[in-house]
Amino acid sequence: MDKNNLYNIPPFADDDRVDGLAKVTGKAKFTAEHQLPGLVYGVFVCSTIAKGVIKNMYLAAAKNAAGVIDIIYYLNCPAVPGYKPADRTKNPNARDYTGHKVFFNNLVLSNGQPIALVVADTFERAVHAASLVRVEYDKEVPETDFEKNKFNGKLLKNRGEFLRNEKDAWKNAAVKLEQEYTIPIETHNPMEMHATTAVWEGDNKLTVYDKSQGPKGVQGELARMFELEEKNVKVITEFVGGAFGSGLRSWPHVHAAVIAARKLKRPVKLTLNREQMFTMVGYRPYSWQKIGIGASKEGKLYGITHQAVSNTSVYEDFAEGIVNVSQFLYDCPNVNTDYKILPLHINTPTWMRGPGPASGCFGLESALDELSYQLNIDPIELRIINNAEVHPQSKLPWTTKYLKECYALGREKIGWSNRPSVPGSLKEDGMLVGYGMAVGVFGAGRGGATAKGILKQDGSLLLQSAVSDMGPGTSTAMVKIGSEQMGLDDNKVRFELGDTDFPSGPTQGGSGSATTVGTAVMAVCDALKQSLKEMAIENIAAFKNLKPEDISYENGKLVAATDASAAIHFTDLLKQSSKPELQVSKTSTGFAQRDKYVANSFSVHFVKLHVHPVTGVIKLKHIVSVADAGKIISEKTARSQMVGGAVGGIGMAMTEETLMDHRYGRYINSNFVDYHVPVHADVPPVDVLFVNKPDNIISPTGAKGIGEIALVGVAPAITNAVYNATGKRIRQLPVTPDQLIG
Amino acid sequence: MINFEYVKANSAQSASEARIKNGASQFIAGGTNLVDLMKKGITAPERLIDINALPLKEISLTPKGLSIGALVPNSVAADHETVKTKYPLLAMALNAGASAQLRNMATVGGNIMQRTRCSYFYDTTMPCNKRNPGTGCSAVEGYNRMHAIFGASEQCIAVHPSDMCVALAALNATVQVSGTKGTRKIPFADFHRLPADTPQLDTNLQVGELITAVSIPAHSFNKAYYLKVRDRLSYAFALVSVAVALDVKDGMIRSAAIAMGGVAHKPWRLYEVEEFVTGKPISKELFTEAASIAMTGAKTYTHNQYKIKLGKAAIIEALTKASS
């Protein structure tokens, strides 16, 4: 066997993704690709009204269609114990499930709500039979119009007010402005659509293949919902074809697959189609923001008032930290914020890449840009003038903060000195030229995780943890940490994930996987080294009288500090100790110094673009994204995350908008023809720069997290550049050519 | 399952006969639109007549003009040397349409036959006169940002989605069709219909008639430009598009052909504008006035009012680009 190719994969080229080849050659099995004996297929029937009561469901035609096995709906659906826990003696804190309870009753609370599951022997037959189900409703008038209701006090729910010193102090500043900013619903559209396959063994043991960002989270929820012991629920989510928050929780299709598989005593696979992705797995909520901001003539901020409203569903509250950025991103003595949510007859929103700050920074970073023109101060200078050296509220220092370094790196790379100070004054090849920038921020941190390490006689290290890798390259980063810690070649280290049989790992979200899992992997490596030293003392004559601290570990070798000739490679040590392998598990705990430090990742995005002076068509020319994300563990995958975030930001700024016809409370662009994600032609060259300075306070990995800051701030950088090019301020996303016609 | 019969036609005549024999049958070539319509439940043909084996894949140039077989893929036509050099407007329009993958599959005949992309037409839960005559038009009082500003009726305000057809309209193309009773030639302007009270009918083809070729007459245009304004830079339908072909000598427009896309139920030829600019020297003022003439009579709805301003801008820009 080729010793560089223990797992039959070609050797690494530079920074390649460890699972890249498997993914591009189709060897990687995604959730819907798992075929099981006796598998049957479930397809949802979805509501076509947004509010009302199901009066009748005519199922005969569907039941008689070829291959149909069962149709599950509210009248025949077995009860899901967790939806309404009757026995609260076991757990007095048990509460009714707040998410959509699938097939629970005959109420319709949103359009596209799953109301029946047709199960058939083939997917195609299930699709056809589902189309034959006729539903009669008692229709009621839905409320889906955000704009109409955003100030409707009868519907709004308060989600927190914040005040630092004086309220609405911006009004007393020398230079001030007040503006409103709107972001439409943006729908989760990863390439891989959500899918679940459920398999029961008897009535107490469940295996689920699920597209998820957190197998442990799915395991816990299914155990609660179906009153099972956690150890009897196995969740497998080995490969994920992109997820930006939609996989952070379990949606109705996960429950429905489990219900159907139990009822039919057969494995059931349920795959959502693209249209169903729009109504079932969350989205970035519609939001309205109003920002009042004031500064001295020299540009020192005096006051910020930041209000926001975002939508939720009528059955569940969803809130995110939209206004929080104004509380700490800049040094401002007087800040007040107010956030409300508006329940509408739409399914529940969820976290979407950079949740909270992505929306909030569009408001705040646009307002700052507007202020910079009023002040006639360069937007970067304005931000530097107001740089928060310590957290303005708690006065705590940041673990690390290299925002000023980001400005310096980015302004150089984009050619900021070419930026026209007067909007609309620079032309290039007949096109209006604009430069813009904006800051992104997101919480950094570290949670608890457990990892297992198995060191083998063949010189390989196998690491395991029950996390998922939705695309950031977690496996690759963990391999890099493992190989560096153990002094091994990358090809000898493998990281396995996506299976709840592995030690408990976190749900992947909030840019915390690298620090959280990485810390556990480092703890495992430390423990492995310690065990090897003890093993050497016990089994190898030359080490017999030494203590572990007298032995050093260098690139796989144990070396006695006092006698360099006493050295043994761990592979020989394992052989001579008659141990086929050495196995340890280690748990690391979360970031504990929250009382001493504030932890954030920062980014600054720079954009150069052209706007056609007559037709208003925007052509992005260059994006430079600079990240203060701590130590970069895996440069290629880190860069890919940043580029992906820039593309997501382009979508947010220029193309993405989920449109609803409020007469029907129904989306009219729930497909890839009409819902525009950016295509290659929209994406300019994206340069990614990292400050790459370790943050050793958050975690020993030195990392701070990249996923969110890659996107947060991109949209306002683009609209700020549009203003610089045209003098037209875009406060409602997305910006399309019709808004910029010359 | 909705089963359907699949037959392969070996001649245009047999294809037409098969089509007439079963009224619920349809021709299929690239299938890039028809398959979508079938998947969405908008159409459910009982029989698909595959015409891909027919000998309709030639592109030929004669002194009279260019002939393109109905089965020539869009990408092949766009890359064809004669098309690129003698009919650059058509090549530009073809390349502005859809995506590279779709252009590889879609045929010239199928492009002409594609149906509107109105969102309401595609959602079978909503009223639509084009899909279900008599149910009403959801777009008139709905979300109509993409919809028509010319030639619409209260029954339907959908637009024709093609880019290629806008160029063909400008270039006075003729659609060659064959049916059981023989062949005929339909001038492009008469091929597609305005919605009026029968929006379910997109074209004036008779049942059983099959497009065999498109011919474009020889012309004297020495300048051409196809401008498409859209929400993203590829794979998006036009907000508005403009096809311009000019014969310019010494700064004077000797003749002009201009059509717009994204504004009507069919490619919208601007005869009055053509007449207005003919014989006049190129100038910014001329183009601005031409744009105003072009937009005369436009009727907008709640969300497509921008199309008047954008339409003018696009005409000015297309004329400027073509004549420069």
Side-chain angles (χ1 to χ4, degrees):
Chain A
M1 184 195 259
D2 175 6
K3 64 179 181 154
N4 289 321
N5 199 359
L6 296 172
Y7 303 106
N8 268 336
I9 55 167
F12 275 74
D14 302 317
D15 250 0
D16 280 354
R17 223 171 252 273
V18 294
D19 49 8
L21 191 79
K23 283 181 174 173
V24 299
T25 55
K27 278 186 187 160
K29 267 193 179 174
F30 291 87
T31 295
E33 295 179 302
H34 289 277
Q35 290 301 332
L36 303 167
L39 187 66
V40 293
Y41 300 81
V43 167
F44 275 137
V45 177
C46 295
S47 68
T48 56
I49 65 164
K51 187 188 181 193
V53 179
I54 299 168
K55 213 163 120 189
N56 272 308
M57 288 179 79
Y58 300 99
L59 305 175
K63 275 184 180 165
N64 290 328
V68 171
I69 295 161
D70 196 10
I71 301 174
I72 300 171
Y73 67 120
Y74 73 97
L75 283 179
N76 67 1
C77 181
V80 177
Y83 282 176
K84 238 179 164 33
D87 182 5
R88 295 183 198 235
T89 50
K90 277 189 209 160
N91 177 7
N93 297 323
R95 283 181 300 176
D96 284 4
Y97 179 66
T98 59
H100 176 70
K101 304 182 187 80
V102 71
F103 314 141
F104 184 69
N105 57 29
N106 60 350
L107 297 182
V108 174
L109 303 172
S110 65
N111 217 315
Q113 169 186 319
I115 54 175
L117 185 75
V118 176
V119 185
D121 57 353
T122 71
F123 172 69
E124 290 78 9
R125 285 171 152 179
V127 169
H128 174 62
S131 76
L132 300 176
V133 173
R134 294 281 164 261
V135 187
E136 204 181 327
Y137 303 96
D138 275 332
K139 285 188 201 174
E140 295 166 38
V141 178
E143 207 44 85
T144 58
D145 193 339
F146 183 93
E147 286 301 327
K148 203 174 95 186
N149 290 291
K150 65 189 179 195
F151 306 129
N152 185 341
K154 283 182 192 157
L155 295 180
L156 290 168
K157 295 182 182 177
N158 285 318
R159 297 308 281 193
E161 289 179 28
F162 168 91
L163 175 64
R164 174 157 72 240
N165 300 322
E166 194 187 332
K167 192 179 177 184
D168 295 339
W170 66 272
K171 290 178 178 169
N172 304 320
V175 181
K176 63 196 171 193
L177 62 93
E178 183 177 42
Q179 290 296 349
E180 296 177 39
Y181 305 90
T182 303
I183 304 169
I185 286 176
E186 292 167 38
T187 299
H188 276 297
N189 271 309
M191 193 187 294
E192 180 201 23
M193 290 172 275
H194 278 264
T196 305
T197 297
V199 194
W200 286 86
E201 268 176 63
D203 238 3
N204 292 312
K205 215 161 170 229
L206 172 66
T207 299
V208 168
Y209 298 83
D210 187 37
K211 172 183 172 137
S212 167
Q213 292 169 237
K216 288 299 290 181
V218 177
Q219 179 192 42
E221 171 159 315
L222 292 178
R224 282 192 303 280
M225 288 304 119
F226 294 89
E227 289 186 341
L228 301 168
E229 284 188 61
E230 245 182 49
K231 67 176 171 56
N232 287 334
V233 181
K234 179 177 165 74
V235 178
I236 298 163
T237 178
E238 192 182 359
F239 292 101
V240 180
F244 306 92
S246 59
L248 287 168
R249 61 181 290 191
S250 296
W251 300 103
H253 67 276
V254 182
H255 296 184
V258 174
I259 291 167
R262 182 181 242 181
K263 186 165 188 262
L264 300 175
K265 302 190 191 314
R266 296 180 75 164
V268 172
K269 182 193 287 187
L270 203 171
T271 309
L272 300 188
N273 64 27
R274 189 58 68 184
E275 186 180 337
Q276 291 165 347
M277 292 285 290
F278 280 75
T279 63
M280 256 179 258
V281 297
Y283 52 89
R284 193 190 302 285
Y286 199 112
S287 66
W288 165 89
Q289 304 174 60
K290 189 181 208 178
I291 294 181
I293 189 166
S296 70
K297 282 179 184 159
E298 294 74 36
K300 184 70 197 75
L301 286 176
Y302 182 69
I304 303 174
T305 297
H306 193 161
Q307 297 165 260
V309 178
S310 65
N311 84 281
T312 185
S313 65
V314 294
Y315 54 87
E316 191 174 26
D317 290 352
F318 175 82
E320 57 181 28
I322 295 179
V323 295
N324 300 19
V325 289
S326 289
Q327 298 164 11
F328 73 91
L329 190 50
Y330 298 102
D331 185 42
C332 181
N334 305 296
V335 175
N336 57 300
T337 67
D338 175 25
Y339 176 42
K340 295 181 171 68
I341 54 173
L342 173 65
L344 296 173
H345 290 98
I346 311 176
N347 59 308
T348 309
T350 197
W351 303 279
M352 186 187 228
R353 203 167 189 180
S359 301
C361 277
F362 173 61
L364 179 63
E365 292 296 294
S366 296
L368 266 178
D369 197 67
E370 300 199 41
L371 190 65
S372 77
Y373 285 94
Q374 281 195 27
L375 289 161
N376 199 22
I377 295 175
D378 181 287
I380 299 174
E381 301 312 319
L382 178 62
R383 285 164 173 85
I384 291 172
I385 290 168
N386 293 287
N387 189 57
E389 299 296 335
V390 295
H391 190 281
Q393 185 68 17
S394 66
K395 308 294 180 199
L396 293 173
W398 266 277
T399 53
T400 54
K401 180 177 181 179
Y402 299 107
L403 197 46
K404 286 180 182 169
E405 284 81 349
C406 293
Y407 296 132
L409 286 168
R411 74 185 300 162
E412 178 71 25
K413 189 79 183 172
I414 197 81
W416 190 254
S417 57
N418 298 321
R419 169 186 174 268
S421 55
V422 178
S425 63
L426 182 64
K427 276 198 178 180
E428 202 172 82
D429 307 327
M431 303 287 273
L432 294 161
V433 184
Y435 290 80
M437 56 80 62
V439 173
V441 65
F442 206 82
R446 176 183 114 214
T450 306
K452 185 196 273 184
I454 303 167
L455 208 51
K456 296 183 183 175
Q457 279 188 7
D458 64 7
S460 70
L461 170 64
L462 175 63
L463 296 161
Q464 293 174 328
S465 185
V467 294
S468 82
D469 183 350
M470 59 178 164
T474 306
S475 305
T476 308
M478 293 309 116
V479 164
K480 296 236 170 250
I481 290 175
S483 63
E484 190 186 315
Q485 292 296 309
M486 298 306 291
L488 299 173
D489 192 89
D490 281 348
N491 293 303
K492 295 202 170 177
V493 182
R494 186 158 66 144
F495 183 76
E496 291 184 337
L497 79 178
D499 187 328
T500 47
D501 286 352
F502 298 148
S504 177
T507 292
Q508 183 160 58
S511 303
S513 294
T515 55
T516 301
V517 188
T519 301
V521 166
M522 288 177 83
V524 161
C525 292
D526 284 347
L528 283 171
K529 288 179 201 167
Q530 182 69 16
S531 295
L532 286 170
K533 289 172 188 175
E534 286 162 7
M535 197 184 284
I537 293 166
E538 199 182 314
N539 297 301
I540 308 299
F543 292 83
K544 205 154 193 111
N545 297 316
L546 299 176
K547 290 174 182 167
E549 53 268 32
D550 299 330
I551 305 169
S552 64
Y553 178 96
E554 293 159 18
N555 296 323
K557 268 188 181 168
L558 296 144
V559 183
T562 46
D563 177 9
S565 67
I568 186 168
H569 196 273
F570 77 80
T571 52
D572 295 324
L573 174 60
L574 288 170
K575 281 174 201 155
Q576 290 179 30
S577 309
S578 304
K579 297 251 184 191
E581 60 182 38
L582 176 61
Q583 195 178 117
V584 301
S585 284
K586 275 291 175 188
T587 297
S588 62
T589 54
F591 176 50
Q593 302 193 68
R594 294 232 174 256
D595 54 339
K596 295 192 189 117
Y597 295 99
V598 185
N600 285 103
S601 291
F602 297 93
S603 59
V604 187
H605 304 280
F606 295 83
V607 171
K608 179 191 177 187
L609 52 72
H610 283 177
V611 179
H612 193 288
V614 182
T615 62
V617 172
I618 299 169
K619 174 79 181 158
L620 297 175
K621 301 301 286 183
H622 192 190
I623 291 180
V624 176
S625 288
V626 194
D628 164 20
K631 179 185 167 185
I632 301 307
I633 294 167
S634 161
E635 188 158 359
K636 184 172 184 176
T637 55
R639 183 184 177 277
S640 292
Q641 278 204 76
M642 292 296 292
V643 172
V647 175
I650 294 169
M652 183 178 186
M654 297 170 60
T655 64
E656 296 190 48
E657 179 177 22
T658 313
L659 292 161
M660 180 166 282
D661 187 322
H662 298 298
R663 297 172 301 170
Y664 308 102
R666 188 167 171 86
Y667 290 136
I668 55 171
N669 64 343
S670 50
N671 59 73
F672 266 178
V673 174
D674 297 318
Y675 184 90
H676 289 174
V677 294
V679 294
H680 285 293
D682 296 307
V683 181
V686 179
D687 277 312
V688 176
L689 304 174
F690 294 113
V691 175
N692 202 8
K693 289 187 179 172
D695 187 320
N696 291 318
I697 299 175
I698 296 174
S699 85
T701 65
K704 287 208 286 188
I706 291 174
E708 329 290 333
I709 55 158
L711 181 142
V712 179
V714 174
I718 290 170
T719 51
N720 291 344
V722 166
Y723 179 78
N724 188 242
T726 63
K728 285 179 181 148
R729 181 59 68 179
I730 301 301
R731 301 188 184 94
Q732 184 162 0
L733 297 179
V735 50
T736 47
D738 45 312
Q739 299 167 51
L740 300 174
I741 306 164
Chain B
M1 303 285 281
I2 303 176
N3 291 314
F4 58 84
E5 198 187 334
Y6 170 85
V7 294
K8 268 191 155 175
N10 50 28
S11 70
Q13 181 72 19
S14 69
S16 292
E17 281 165 7
R19 172 80 180 81
I20 283 177
K21 210 166 104 188
N22 182 342
S25 60
Q26 287 199 36
F27 300 128
I28 185 164
T32 55
N33 190 198
L34 182 59
V35 173
D36 277 352
L37 295 167
M38 290 170 68
K39 277 160 89 174
K40 284 286 204 174
I42 293 153
T43 184
E46 288 172 12
R47 171 190 285 184
L48 287 185
I49 304 159
D50 185 340
I51 58 166
N52 282 297
L54 303 188
L56 306 173
K57 291 172 185 164
E58 291 292 310
I59 298 178
S60 57
L61 186 71
T62 66
K64 282 183 167 178
L66 182 75
S67 172
I68 305 174
L71 289 173
V72 172
N74 285 195
S75 54
V76 170
D79 283 346
H80 195 272
E81 206 48 40
T82 308
V83 176
K84 282 197 286 191
T85 53
K86 308 263 186 195
Y87 298 87
L89 181 66
L90 178 59
M92 280 189 266
L94 279 162
N95 280 325
S99 63
Q101 294 91 331
L102 286 167
R103 292 195 294 272
N104 285 337
M105 283 302 290
T107 62
V108 166
N111 189 323
I112 297 172
M113 292 303 292
Q114 69 179 306
R115 308 208 67 190
T116 185
R117 295 287 168 163
C118 173
S119 306
Y120 297 102
F121 176 67
Y122 275 82
D123 186 341
T124 52
T125 72
M126 299 200 190
C128 171
N129 285 328
K130 186 180 275 298
R131 179 169 27 79
N132 285 327
T135 53
C137 173
S138 296
V140 168
E141 288 176 16
Y143 186 79
N144 43 40
R145 179 168 174 267
M146 300 302 290
H147 289 75
I149 56 173
F150 292 117
S153 72
E154 289 304 296
Q155 306 306 315
C156 179
I157 59 171
V159 296
H160 195 263
S162 171
D163 292 294
M164 180 193 79
C165 290
V166 183
L168 292 178
L171 295 171
N172 279 329
T174 302
V175 184
Q176 317 265 359
V177 305
S178 90
T180 49
K181 292 172 196 157
T183 62
R184 66 176 178 132
K185 295 176 180 181
I186 308 174
F188 212 82
D190 298 335
F191 188 86
H192 294 101
R193 296 166 61 95
L194 289 177
D197 290 333
T198 52
Q200 69 273 23
L201 301 176
D202 294 343
T203 72
N204 287 315
L205 270 190
Q206 300 299 307
V207 174
E209 284 186 322
L210 175 72
I211 299 174
T212 53
V214 176
S215 46
I216 313 173
H219 62 81
S220 59
F221 301 123
N222 54 12
K223 304 271 188 185
Y225 196 75
Y226 187 76
L227 175 72
K228 181 178 185 180
V229 183
R230 48 185 153 174
D231 283 332
R232 64 180 167 189
L233 296 179
S234 177
Y235 191 45
F237 292 100
L239 299 172
V240 300
S241 67
V242 182
V244 174
L246 301 173
D247 176 2
V248 179
K249 197 182 179 196
D250 302 329
M252 188 75 83
I253 297 173
R254 296 196 294 193
S255 69
I258 310 171
M260 288 187 86
V263 294
H265 198 257
K266 60 189 282 189
W268 197 249
R269 183 80 182 262
L270 301 175
Y271 296 107
E272 284 180 43
V273 178
E274 292 169 9
E275 194 165 316
F276 173 73
V277 298
T278 300
K280 295 199 174 76
I282 290 164
S283 75
K284 200 179 164 187
E285 294 68 32
L286 179 75
F287 295 162
T288 305
E289 208 169 329
S292 288
I293 294 169
M295 288 298 128
T296 308
K299 183 186 175 193
T300 61
Y301 297 83
T302 312
H303 305 98
N304 69 356
Q305 290 165 12
Y306 74 92
K307 283 199 178 184
I308 292 184
K309 202 173 168 191
L310 185 59
K312 283 182 188 169
I315 286 167
I316 294 168
E317 175 65 11
L319 284 166
T320 307
K321 275 271 165 38
S323 59
S324 64

